[in-house]
Amino acid sequence: MKSEKYVYINNRPVLWEDEPNILALARKAHITIPTFCYHSELSVYGACRMCLVEVEGRGLVTSCSTAPFEGMRVKTHTNQILKLRKIIIEMLLANHDRECTQCDRSADCKLREISYQLGVNDLRLRKTREPREIDTGSPSLVRDPNKCVLCGDCVRFCDEVQGIGAIDFVNRGEDVVVSPAYGKSLANVDCVHCGQCAAVCPTGAITIKNQTRDVWADIENPDKIVVAQIAPAVRVALAEMFNLAPNQQNTGKMVTAMRMVGFDKVFDTAFTADLTVIEEANEFLNRKLNGGKLPIFTSCCPAWVKFAEQSHPRLLNNLSTCRSPQQMFGSLAKVQLPEMLGVEKEKLSVVSIMPCTAKKFEAGRPEFAPGGVRDVDHVLTTQELGRMIKEAGINFADLEPSSFDLAMGFATGAGVIFGNSGGVSEAVVRYAADKLNLDLPEVIDLMPTYLDQGFKSAEVDTPVGKIRFAVVHGLKSAHELAEKIERGEEYYDVIEVMACPGGCIGGAGQPIASSIQHRAKRAESINHTDKMMNLHRSQDNPFMKELYERLLEEPNSEKAHELLHTHYHSRKRITDEEIQFFDQSDESRCKVKVCVGTSCFLRGAQEILGHTLKTVQDNGWNRYFEVAATFCTENCDKGPTIVIGDQVVHKATLADVDRILTEEAKRREA
Amino acid sequence: MSNDNTAARSFTKVLEILEEHDFDEHRIVSILQAVQAEYRYLPQEVLTFVATSLKVSPARLYGVATFYSHFSLEPKGKHIIKMCDGTACHVRGSKAVIDAVREKLGLSETKITTNDLMFTFETVACLGACGLAPVMVIDEEVHGMVTPEEAIKLIEAIMETENA
Amino acid sequence: MLSLEQIKKEYLEAASHFKKRIVVCAGTGCIANGSMKVFKSLKNAAAMHSLDVCVEFKPCDSKDHDILLSGSGCQGFCQVGPLVTIEPDGILYTHVKPEDAEEIIEKTVINGDMIERLLYLDQNTGKHCHGADDIPFYTLQQRTALKECGHVDPENIREYISHDGYFAARDAYLNYTAEEICKRVEDAGLRGRGGGGFPTGRKWHFARIEKEPKKYVVCNGDEGDPGAFMDRSILEGNPHSVIEGMMIAAKAIGADEGYVYVRMEYPLACSRIRKAIRDAEELGILGNDVFGTGQAFDIHVVEGAGAFVCGEETALLASIEGKRGMPTPKPPFPAQQGLFGKPTVINNVETLALVPVVMKQTPEEYRKIGSPKSPGTKTFALTGHVVNTGLIEVPFGTTLRQIVFEIGGGVLDKDGKINNDAFKAVQIGGPSGGCLTKEHLDLPLHYDSLAEVGAMVGSGGLVVMNDSTCMVKIASYFMGFTQMESCGKCVPCREGTRQMKEILDDISEGKGTEESLELLEELGKAIKITSLCGLGKSAPNPGLSTLRFFRDEYLAHVKAGYCPTGQCKALTAITIDPEACRGCTLCKRVCPVGAISGEVKQPHKIDPMVCIKCGACINACKFKAIS
């Protein structure tokens, strides 16, 4: 029998099992030690100094970074500790933007909360810094450095979980700010809009861009018909904003609330999720049976898509060409709703309610705005919807449930499970199993729920061979898997990638989840909803059959491609870059550009560049050529790429460079 | 940057620097020092190029470059003048020299490079030559026990050479 | 197979042919004063006299030379450089100029006579001193870590070996177990000289017992304290002693790789340590097979890039790892998880330079010098308002009085004259240290005694301040330094130091109140307790220490609106001396704000509340009655 170990917190014995630090252990003793920078899913940073406790024999230590030992005696709130915490808060408040009434985060800002808890009534310290510029350039997020307490949670999440590092600490001492590279706007760097930085931010330093004003305007506008689509993940989290426990009725209340807010129609994104399943499963089976590009990567997560475009351009042809359910909905809505609802296309406003901040970016992609009119006019997050409901004074808890509007509101369980990481794969298997006549139940449960791991896999035996599935959440895990795939070290047929922890239920647009357990509850609700529905397979959705008969003909048809599929393009990580090597002033010179983006770099672009420069210099051809290094000519799988004048050479070799430069030089000499 | 070959030569040097350091991201500080020695500052595009080569995020590299006092993201002047304002020099009157030089060159605490990019004047915390306080370094040459008048003379001497 | 004895023998034999040796100080300070020009002129002058001068000594030279001319590291007496020493006579010449070279060669080198005007003049006795044997600055010191600086040519590894260099390292590798080395160093009581004062042997022990096979030894040469140049001098003057210390540390903990982290602001130290490493590698002392044991030890040099905080060990490691130099919470300590997550010991330059010294004696012998809990010697950089500024080394337990008045030669008052009554305070330990006052003059200096009075040895900076120094302004100045160098990670240091500086400036500008003093103290104590690293924890020391020992001065500022030293311009009252005033009313007429009142032929008065301190009255007064 294992002996039990105890730690004494405020003289009470607390059982110590596997808690790595005193702060986590204190929760068992029903004490929440205040902290800004500690986050259980990120590395320990130890900067805010709020979590100090007194350990007998050691004095004051930070509880986030101190491991318990058997028999340790801890005091969490001596007078000295409380006094010190107060002073630290005073220090933070001194330079903080204290216009709380104007702040989107005032309801659940940790600084305000802790300040209140500690009774900080007196501010004896002064403002020492000038206000800093607010970054509103991104479609998804707003950065306000004047509200930042420099806890670094956003930096660590973006680096440790997403593996991107779009923001980092910059400068030193009092001048430190959290910033993208070169102080540019988030919109102009490698941020993929996943918004998890906002989700972990304890204050209002990074917030979701609040676009409820625009939606209110459309609702108020008598000329406009405003229809909403709601993602599966929203329905299991919205009620949290009204302090309700998970309950099957909450979905119905949500629909009622939205009607009361003023939406003319309330549809379900799970409907187009069913559609995505059919399109994508067919696309996959087609590739599998006809030697097409595998593995196939899912493409419904816009943060993953942007990440792939930036960092794995060679895998872009592996991505499913299917649009996300949000965009499929928007596209279909603009094509068929005007007739169905008897309204002109220009007067139709499609609003999507999403658990996701990246969807705001996705809706703005030029390929989803045919003729300049966006398929999805506005994207609101779960939080924004909740705010609208509150703004209207609606008492959510007391509402009677109602159901989605039909036409685009009927879905099967397969569409609903998109909200969980692993859901898309499960849904696809349910379709494929049917198509391949496998002897499997309707609800397969391909992989158990696994919110604490970034990677999971499973296989299904079929007459056409094993189908191997991999499911990842968190872009760092995705990146690692993608690298292994590119190196040929691993192989899967289908890879599902979600950027957010646990999938969309953990999206940054959701009310902020406090822990893995919190997210697990949402995932459970999704699964429960699926099990409670009448139909579990996308192909069984009668509205799907109707849609194909009426409009799309068959999966992956030309019509389907026009409305429901898309293409991708590689992207630079940072905007506006080129390194000029010679005087730019001379227009008559032949411009030579060598791409030195990530992918080309890996393929030897540096050598090409070095050789080009040397050749031009050694031969004294400066007067003929103007050489520049550019980032991304967007031809990553054909790299290294060199553009000489108007000749574009892919997979360039040193010999190619020599040949073309010599020819051109000769020509100019003459 | 208007020299025909300089930019190309510099960039080739960057490639060499990265090779010499084995593309090792741990040696970022040393890499940036070498790049700065070549360009006299750290141009943005070159930083992104280095970040790509080392497989680190541009924001992280920017964060490292802005942390250390030695790195400059703005072009520096042809002649770098450093004035020590460490304890010993301070106590022996470095401030008077600092004020005099700033006045002469039209510079301040925030504006450290002259418009013609001829001089950069910065204060450093301690050069370790405290026995000779106050200490001034012009282009790596150390001058001890400097008075405001001497400092001005040294600067004027450089100006004359440049104008010749 | 490398034989140290062989090299030593060859060197001493070759060196024995020299009749004289001329050593020119080539530390950064003397070089700045032109010592390299002196070196060149001496070489030329000797050649002109047909003397056979050897400038770059290689023992394989079969020619007999008459004279060896070499450069040395910092000899410590920077005030009076460039310094030239003539051996074996032990004559020390000061303020040597290139023009003196001729005379030195003729008179001293050839004829053995002293040139009086180049000898050091003791201002207290009026006597000309012969050399280090009778110059009080030197005689009162006990140069141990600095022993060879100023004598050996730092670029000549063979000379180092001829002084028994690397013998202790060999002994450690061949004749001691790791455990024995740790014990020996711990028994000797060697404490970290970088400021922490942690027992070195114990630190090594913690790393030694870690099971992880990959370990590192790191030398902390990021001496950022303004006013400190001990580590620079050792790296410039005797880099091999540091390498030897690192080797012994490596054997003690089981490391095969080491790093020396040097500030880039020390270019000479960087190049000297790099050369020393190369020379040691060439001889096979560093490399794959140290002294034939099959164990490896290689050292890399990493340069800092201008961040004082990188002197803190975890920040230093972060910097080597290519990150921003921000400290990390301890535990885990570097001895358990350090560089790249592996067990690492970080030791200061001076500590490492002392390790071979410690290994060559028994612990009892080493403990004969110094004090019981702080054995051995410590270097100090003596600067400020003192006659002899420079680098000194004294046993722990030496008093402040001995250092300032004897070795230092006394205090300089605001007119530059020697006046020991003008002594006001000494800032010890750099900008993170506290101050010591008249009441501490007889305090024996060591780690514990200083901690008790709220000060610290720190790296060893000693800035002497006379009575023209305003303690409020000095505290503000130091606060400004640490605030500028704060890395910005933790709240108390980043925000708190700025707030403290604001308050100190308020006081200096006449805007402070008694509440300011209370707030200053509360903030200071809070920052000390809650900061993440040593920089933050010690940043409030100057403020708190001056407030403790010079409270009256602070009170004068806030209560009486008056700065006793007159340094705070806002608080200097302009007054008319009633004795000197003739009542001519000139001042009253030129005063732009009407602050002066008085009748004709009666002494006038200035109302300090109205006075804007423009000074027009001072200029106008013909009787010098206003100041």
Side-chain angles (χ1 to χ4, degrees), chain B residues 26 28 33 60 63 67-70 85-88 90-92 125-128 130-132 142, chain C residues 29 32-33 226-227 229 232 263 304-306 319-325 340 385 389 477-478 481:
Chain B
H26 298 302
I28 281 182
Q33 273 164 335
R60 159 139 173 235
F67 180 83
Y68 297 96
S69 305
H70 186 229
D85 194 30
T87 319
H90 184 85
V91 157
R92 294 277 215 184
C126 184
L127 296 162
C130 317
L132 295 171
V142 182
Chain C
N33 260 349
F229 52 106
R232 173 177 71 71
R263 300 176 75 204
S319 187
I320 297 180
E321 291 175 0
K323 303 181 191 148
R324 290 162 61 87
F340 304 119
H385 300 137
T389 60
Y477 166 74
F478 283 129
F481 174 79

Short mmCIF file of all heavy atoms in Angstrom, two decimals, chain B residues 26 28 33 60 63 67-70 85-88 90-92 125-128 130-132 142, chain C residues 29 32-33 226-227 229 232 263 304-306 319-325 340 385 389 477-478 481:
data_model
loop_
_atom_site.label_atom_id
_atom_site.label_comp_id
_atom_site.label_asym_id
_atom_site.label_seq_id
_atom_site.Cartn_x
_atom_site.Cartn_y
_atom_site.Cartn_z
N HIS B 26 21.17 28.55 -31.02
CA HIS B 26 21.67 28.94 -29.71
C HIS B 26 22.71 30.04 -29.83
O HIS B 26 22.96 30.78 -28.88
CB HIS B 26 22.29 27.74 -28.99
CG HIS B 26 21.30 26.65 -28.74
ND1 HIS B 26 20.15 26.85 -28.01
CD2 HIS B 26 21.28 25.37 -29.13
CE1 HIS B 26 19.46 25.72 -27.97
NE2 HIS B 26 20.13 24.82 -28.64
N ILE B 28 22.56 32.69 -31.55
CA ILE B 28 21.94 33.88 -32.13
C ILE B 28 22.68 35.16 -31.78
O ILE B 28 22.90 36.01 -32.64
CB ILE B 28 20.48 34.01 -31.63
CG1 ILE B 28 19.58 33.07 -32.41
CG2 ILE B 28 19.96 35.42 -31.81
CD1 ILE B 28 18.13 33.17 -32.03
N GLN B 33 25.76 39.75 -33.67
CA GLN B 33 26.90 40.65 -33.53
C GLN B 33 27.68 40.69 -34.82
O GLN B 33 28.09 41.76 -35.27
CB GLN B 33 27.82 40.19 -32.38
CG GLN B 33 27.39 40.74 -31.05
CD GLN B 33 28.01 40.02 -29.88
OE1 GLN B 33 28.39 38.87 -29.96
NE2 GLN B 33 28.12 40.71 -28.77
N ARG B 60 10.65 36.31 -32.34
CA ARG B 60 11.63 35.91 -31.31
C ARG B 60 12.98 36.56 -31.58
O ARG B 60 13.65 37.06 -30.68
CB ARG B 60 11.77 34.39 -31.29
CG ARG B 60 13.04 33.96 -30.67
CD ARG B 60 12.98 32.77 -29.77
NE ARG B 60 14.37 32.45 -29.43
CZ ARG B 60 14.95 31.28 -29.60
NH1 ARG B 60 14.24 30.28 -30.05
NH2 ARG B 60 16.22 31.13 -29.31
N GLY B 63 12.83 40.04 -30.67
CA GLY B 63 12.87 40.17 -29.22
C GLY B 63 14.29 40.10 -28.69
O GLY B 63 14.67 40.85 -27.80
N PHE B 67 16.67 43.31 -27.02
CA PHE B 67 16.96 43.17 -25.60
C PHE B 67 18.33 43.72 -25.24
O PHE B 67 18.54 44.33 -24.20
CB PHE B 67 16.87 41.69 -25.21
CG PHE B 67 17.15 41.43 -23.76
CD1 PHE B 67 16.14 41.58 -22.82
CD2 PHE B 67 18.41 41.07 -23.32
CE1 PHE B 67 16.39 41.36 -21.47
CE2 PHE B 67 18.67 40.85 -21.98
CZ PHE B 67 17.65 40.99 -21.06
N TYR B 68 19.30 43.45 -26.11
CA TYR B 68 20.68 43.79 -25.79
C TYR B 68 21.05 45.18 -26.30
O TYR B 68 20.81 45.50 -27.46
CB TYR B 68 21.62 42.74 -26.41
CG TYR B 68 21.41 41.36 -25.84
CD1 TYR B 68 20.60 40.42 -26.48
CD2 TYR B 68 22.01 41.00 -24.63
CE1 TYR B 68 20.40 39.17 -25.94
CE2 TYR B 68 21.82 39.74 -24.09
CZ TYR B 68 21.01 38.83 -24.74
OH TYR B 68 20.82 37.59 -24.20
N SER B 69 21.67 45.98 -25.43
CA SER B 69 21.97 47.36 -25.77
C SER B 69 22.85 47.49 -27.00
O SER B 69 22.80 48.49 -27.69
CB SER B 69 22.71 48.05 -24.62
OG SER B 69 21.99 47.95 -23.45
N HIS B 70 23.68 46.51 -27.23
CA HIS B 70 24.64 46.65 -28.31
C HIS B 70 24.00 46.64 -29.68
O HIS B 70 24.54 47.18 -30.64
CB HIS B 70 25.69 45.53 -28.22
CG HIS B 70 26.80 45.68 -29.21
ND1 HIS B 70 27.21 44.65 -30.02
CD2 HIS B 70 27.54 46.74 -29.55
CE1 HIS B 70 28.19 45.09 -30.80
NE2 HIS B 70 28.42 46.34 -30.53
N ASP B 85 29.26 56.41 -18.47
CA ASP B 85 28.57 57.11 -17.38
C ASP B 85 28.46 56.19 -16.17
O ASP B 85 27.49 56.25 -15.43
CB ASP B 85 27.18 57.58 -17.85
CG ASP B 85 26.57 58.59 -16.89
OD1 ASP B 85 27.33 59.33 -16.24
OD2 ASP B 85 25.34 58.60 -16.77
N GLY B 86 29.45 55.34 -16.01
CA GLY B 86 29.47 54.46 -14.85
C GLY B 86 29.78 55.27 -13.60
O GLY B 86 30.11 56.46 -13.68
N THR B 87 29.69 54.61 -12.45
CA THR B 87 29.85 55.31 -11.18
C THR B 87 31.09 56.17 -11.11
O THR B 87 31.03 57.37 -10.83
CB THR B 87 29.94 54.31 -10.02
OG1 THR B 87 29.00 53.28 -10.24
CG2 THR B 87 29.68 54.99 -8.70
N ALA B 88 32.23 55.55 -11.38
CA ALA B 88 33.49 56.28 -11.22
C ALA B 88 33.54 57.47 -12.16
O ALA B 88 33.92 58.58 -11.78
CB ALA B 88 34.65 55.34 -11.48
N HIS B 90 31.04 58.97 -13.53
CA HIS B 90 30.00 59.91 -13.17
C HIS B 90 30.48 60.83 -12.06
O HIS B 90 30.33 62.05 -12.12
CB HIS B 90 28.76 59.12 -12.71
CG HIS B 90 27.58 59.98 -12.41
ND1 HIS B 90 26.70 60.40 -13.38
CD2 HIS B 90 27.12 60.49 -11.25
CE1 HIS B 90 25.76 61.13 -12.83
NE2 HIS B 90 25.98 61.20 -11.54
N VAL B 91 31.08 60.20 -11.07
CA VAL B 91 31.57 60.96 -9.93
C VAL B 91 32.69 61.91 -10.34
O VAL B 91 32.89 62.95 -9.74
CB VAL B 91 32.02 59.95 -8.84
CG1 VAL B 91 33.00 60.56 -7.89
CG2 VAL B 91 30.81 59.42 -8.10
N ARG B 92 33.40 61.55 -11.41
CA ARG B 92 34.49 62.40 -11.86
C ARG B 92 34.09 63.33 -13.00
O ARG B 92 34.92 63.85 -13.70
CB ARG B 92 35.66 61.54 -12.35
CG ARG B 92 36.33 60.71 -11.27
CD ARG B 92 37.36 61.48 -10.49
NE ARG B 92 38.48 60.59 -10.13
CZ ARG B 92 39.51 60.94 -9.37
NH1 ARG B 92 39.60 62.14 -8.89
NH2 ARG B 92 40.47 60.07 -9.12
N ALA B 125 27.30 52.02 -19.73
CA ALA B 125 27.30 51.96 -18.28
C ALA B 125 28.69 51.85 -17.70
O ALA B 125 28.99 52.44 -16.69
CB ALA B 125 26.46 50.79 -17.81
N CYS B 126 29.55 51.07 -18.25
CA CYS B 126 30.90 50.98 -17.69
C CYS B 126 31.83 50.27 -18.65
O CYS B 126 31.53 49.17 -19.10
CB CYS B 126 30.91 50.26 -16.35
SG CYS B 126 32.56 50.24 -15.62
N LEU B 127 32.95 50.92 -18.94
CA LEU B 127 33.92 50.31 -19.85
C LEU B 127 35.05 49.64 -19.09
O LEU B 127 35.98 49.12 -19.68
CB LEU B 127 34.49 51.40 -20.77
CG LEU B 127 33.44 52.01 -21.70
CD1 LEU B 127 33.89 53.33 -22.26
CD2 LEU B 127 33.14 51.04 -22.84
N GLY B 128 34.99 49.70 -17.77
CA GLY B 128 36.00 49.01 -16.97
C GLY B 128 37.34 49.70 -16.93
O GLY B 128 38.35 49.09 -16.62
N CYS B 130 37.99 52.40 -15.00
CA CYS B 130 37.58 53.36 -14.00
C CYS B 130 38.71 54.19 -13.43
O CYS B 130 38.50 55.29 -12.93
CB CYS B 130 36.86 52.62 -12.88
SG CYS B 130 35.73 51.41 -13.55
N GLY B 131 39.92 53.65 -13.48
CA GLY B 131 41.03 54.42 -12.94
C GLY B 131 41.29 55.67 -13.77
O GLY B 131 41.98 56.58 -13.34
N LEU B 132 40.74 55.71 -14.99
CA LEU B 132 41.00 56.84 -15.86
C LEU B 132 39.76 57.69 -16.06
O LEU B 132 39.62 58.35 -17.09
CB LEU B 132 41.40 56.33 -17.24
CG LEU B 132 42.72 55.58 -17.28
CD1 LEU B 132 42.87 54.95 -18.64
CD2 LEU B 132 43.86 56.53 -17.03
N VAL B 142 40.45 54.28 -26.87
CA VAL B 142 40.07 54.72 -25.53
C VAL B 142 40.79 55.99 -25.14
O VAL B 142 42.01 56.09 -25.26
CB VAL B 142 40.40 53.61 -24.49
CG1 VAL B 142 39.97 54.04 -23.10
CG2 VAL B 142 39.71 52.31 -24.87
N GLY C 29 43.43 50.35 -19.30
CA GLY C 29 43.63 51.70 -18.80
C GLY C 29 44.93 52.31 -19.30
O GLY C 29 44.95 53.40 -19.87
N ALA C 32 45.01 53.02 -22.95
CA ALA C 32 44.30 54.26 -23.27
C ALA C 32 45.19 55.45 -23.05
O ALA C 32 45.09 56.47 -23.73
CB ALA C 32 43.06 54.37 -22.41
N ASN C 33 46.08 55.33 -22.10
CA ASN C 33 46.99 56.43 -21.81
C ASN C 33 48.24 56.40 -22.66
O ASN C 33 49.14 57.19 -22.48
CB ASN C 33 47.38 56.39 -20.32
CG ASN C 33 46.57 57.39 -19.52
OD1 ASN C 33 45.89 58.23 -20.09
ND2 ASN C 33 46.65 57.28 -18.22
N PRO C 226 29.24 49.20 -12.87
CA PRO C 226 30.06 50.35 -13.20
C PRO C 226 30.98 50.63 -12.03
O PRO C 226 30.56 50.63 -10.89
CB PRO C 226 29.05 51.50 -13.38
CG PRO C 226 27.74 50.97 -13.01
CD PRO C 226 27.84 49.53 -12.65
N GLY C 227 32.22 50.85 -12.32
CA GLY C 227 33.16 51.09 -11.23
C GLY C 227 33.89 49.84 -10.81
O GLY C 227 34.65 49.85 -9.86
N PHE C 229 36.39 46.67 -12.21
CA PHE C 229 37.16 46.15 -13.34
C PHE C 229 38.14 45.07 -12.90
O PHE C 229 39.20 44.91 -13.50
CB PHE C 229 37.85 47.27 -14.12
CG PHE C 229 38.68 48.20 -13.28
CD1 PHE C 229 40.06 48.13 -13.32
CD2 PHE C 229 38.10 49.15 -12.47
CE1 PHE C 229 40.84 49.00 -12.57
CE2 PHE C 229 38.86 50.02 -11.71
CZ PHE C 229 40.24 49.94 -11.76
N ARG C 232 37.94 42.12 -15.44
CA ARG C 232 38.60 42.52 -16.69
C ARG C 232 40.09 42.39 -16.53
O ARG C 232 40.80 41.85 -17.39
CB ARG C 232 38.23 43.96 -17.05
CG ARG C 232 39.03 44.47 -18.24
CD ARG C 232 38.64 45.86 -18.68
NE ARG C 232 39.03 46.91 -17.76
CZ ARG C 232 40.27 47.33 -17.55
NH1 ARG C 232 41.27 46.78 -18.18
NH2 ARG C 232 40.50 48.30 -16.69
N ARG C 263 31.91 40.24 -21.38
CA ARG C 263 31.23 41.40 -21.95
C ARG C 263 31.93 41.82 -23.23
O ARG C 263 33.17 41.87 -23.28
CB ARG C 263 31.34 42.60 -21.01
CG ARG C 263 30.76 42.44 -19.66
CD ARG C 263 31.07 43.68 -18.84
NE ARG C 263 30.23 44.79 -19.27
CZ ARG C 263 30.54 46.05 -19.11
NH1 ARG C 263 31.69 46.39 -18.57
NH2 ARG C 263 29.71 47.00 -19.48
N GLY C 304 29.04 38.86 -24.47
CA GLY C 304 27.76 39.49 -24.14
C GLY C 304 27.45 40.56 -25.17
O GLY C 304 28.27 40.87 -26.03
N ALA C 305 26.28 41.11 -25.09
CA ALA C 305 25.91 42.14 -26.07
C ALA C 305 25.32 43.36 -25.39
O ALA C 305 24.49 44.04 -25.97
CB ALA C 305 24.93 41.55 -27.08
N GLY C 306 25.76 43.60 -24.17
CA GLY C 306 25.31 44.83 -23.54
C GLY C 306 24.05 44.66 -22.71
O GLY C 306 23.04 45.28 -22.98
N SER C 319 21.23 33.68 -22.12
CA SER C 319 21.93 34.39 -23.18
C SER C 319 22.77 33.43 -24.01
O SER C 319 22.79 33.50 -25.24
CB SER C 319 22.82 35.46 -22.56
OG SER C 319 23.39 36.27 -23.54
N ILE C 320 23.45 32.49 -23.35
CA ILE C 320 24.24 31.51 -24.09
C ILE C 320 23.32 30.64 -24.94
O ILE C 320 23.70 30.17 -26.02
CB ILE C 320 25.07 30.61 -23.14
CG1 ILE C 320 26.09 31.44 -22.35
CG2 ILE C 320 25.80 29.53 -23.92
CD1 ILE C 320 26.94 30.63 -21.40
N GLU C 321 22.10 30.43 -24.47
CA GLU C 321 21.17 29.59 -25.23
C GLU C 321 20.50 30.35 -26.36
O GLU C 321 19.61 29.83 -27.02
CB GLU C 321 20.11 29.02 -24.28
CG GLU C 321 20.68 28.00 -23.30
CD GLU C 321 19.65 27.51 -22.29
OE1 GLU C 321 18.50 27.97 -22.36
OE2 GLU C 321 20.01 26.69 -21.44
N GLY C 322 20.90 31.60 -26.57
CA GLY C 322 20.36 32.36 -27.70
C GLY C 322 19.04 33.04 -27.42
O GLY C 322 18.26 33.32 -28.33
N LYS C 323 18.76 33.28 -26.14
CA LYS C 323 17.47 33.91 -25.81
C LYS C 323 17.70 35.30 -25.22
O LYS C 323 18.83 35.72 -25.00
CB LYS C 323 16.76 33.07 -24.75
CG LYS C 323 16.52 31.65 -25.13
CD LYS C 323 15.79 30.93 -24.00
CE LYS C 323 15.78 29.45 -24.24
NZ LYS C 323 15.80 28.71 -22.98
N ARG C 324 16.61 35.98 -24.93
CA ARG C 324 16.70 37.22 -24.17
C ARG C 324 17.26 36.85 -22.80
O ARG C 324 16.92 35.82 -22.23
CB ARG C 324 15.30 37.82 -24.00
CG ARG C 324 14.73 38.36 -25.30
CD ARG C 324 13.23 38.53 -25.19
NE ARG C 324 12.84 39.46 -24.16
CZ ARG C 324 12.74 40.77 -24.34
NH1 ARG C 324 13.02 41.30 -25.51
NH2 ARG C 324 12.36 41.56 -23.34
N GLY C 325 18.10 37.73 -22.27
CA GLY C 325 18.74 37.42 -21.00
C GLY C 325 17.83 37.61 -19.81
O GLY C 325 18.06 38.47 -18.96
N PHE C 340 21.27 24.44 -21.16
CA PHE C 340 20.57 23.43 -21.96
C PHE C 340 19.95 22.35 -21.07
O PHE C 340 19.82 21.19 -21.48
CB PHE C 340 21.54 22.77 -22.98
CG PHE C 340 22.21 23.77 -23.89
CD1 PHE C 340 23.60 23.90 -23.90
CD2 PHE C 340 21.46 24.61 -24.71
CE1 PHE C 340 24.22 24.84 -24.72
CE2 PHE C 340 22.09 25.55 -25.53
CZ PHE C 340 23.48 25.65 -25.53
N HIS C 385 36.46 59.80 -4.94
CA HIS C 385 37.23 60.92 -4.41
C HIS C 385 38.34 60.44 -3.48
O HIS C 385 38.37 60.76 -2.29
CB HIS C 385 36.30 61.87 -3.64
CG HIS C 385 35.21 62.45 -4.48
ND1 HIS C 385 33.92 62.56 -4.04
CD2 HIS C 385 35.21 62.91 -5.75
CE1 HIS C 385 33.18 63.09 -5.00
NE2 HIS C 385 33.93 63.31 -6.03
N THR C 389 43.43 55.89 -7.07
CA THR C 389 42.38 55.02 -7.60
C THR C 389 43.05 53.87 -8.32
O THR C 389 44.15 54.01 -8.85
CB THR C 389 41.49 55.76 -8.61
OG1 THR C 389 42.31 56.21 -9.69
CG2 THR C 389 40.80 56.94 -7.97
N TYR C 477 20.97 58.27 -8.83
CA TYR C 477 21.85 57.86 -9.93
C TYR C 477 21.95 56.34 -10.00
O TYR C 477 21.81 55.74 -11.08
CB TYR C 477 23.23 58.49 -9.74
CG TYR C 477 24.29 57.88 -10.61
CD1 TYR C 477 24.34 58.14 -11.97
CD2 TYR C 477 25.23 56.99 -10.07
CE1 TYR C 477 25.31 57.55 -12.77
CE2 TYR C 477 26.18 56.41 -10.88
CZ TYR C 477 26.22 56.69 -12.22
OH TYR C 477 27.16 56.09 -13.02
N PHE C 478 22.18 55.70 -8.87
CA PHE C 478 22.30 54.24 -8.88
C PHE C 478 20.99 53.58 -9.26
O PHE C 478 20.95 52.59 -9.97
CB PHE C 478 22.74 53.73 -7.50
CG PHE C 478 24.19 53.93 -7.24
CD1 PHE C 478 24.65 54.53 -6.08
CD2 PHE C 478 25.13 53.51 -8.17
CE1 PHE C 478 26.00 54.72 -5.84
CE2 PHE C 478 26.49 53.70 -7.94
CZ PHE C 478 26.93 54.31 -6.77
N PHE C 481 20.54 53.53 -12.87
CA PHE C 481 21.30 52.47 -13.54
C PHE C 481 20.58 51.13 -13.49
O PHE C 481 20.35 50.50 -14.52
CB PHE C 481 22.69 52.35 -12.91
CG PHE C 481 23.47 51.19 -13.46
CD1 PHE C 481 24.10 51.28 -14.68
CD2 PHE C 481 23.52 49.99 -12.78
CE1 PHE C 481 24.80 50.21 -15.22
CE2 PHE C 481 24.22 48.90 -13.30
CZ PHE C 481 24.85 49.01 -14.52
#
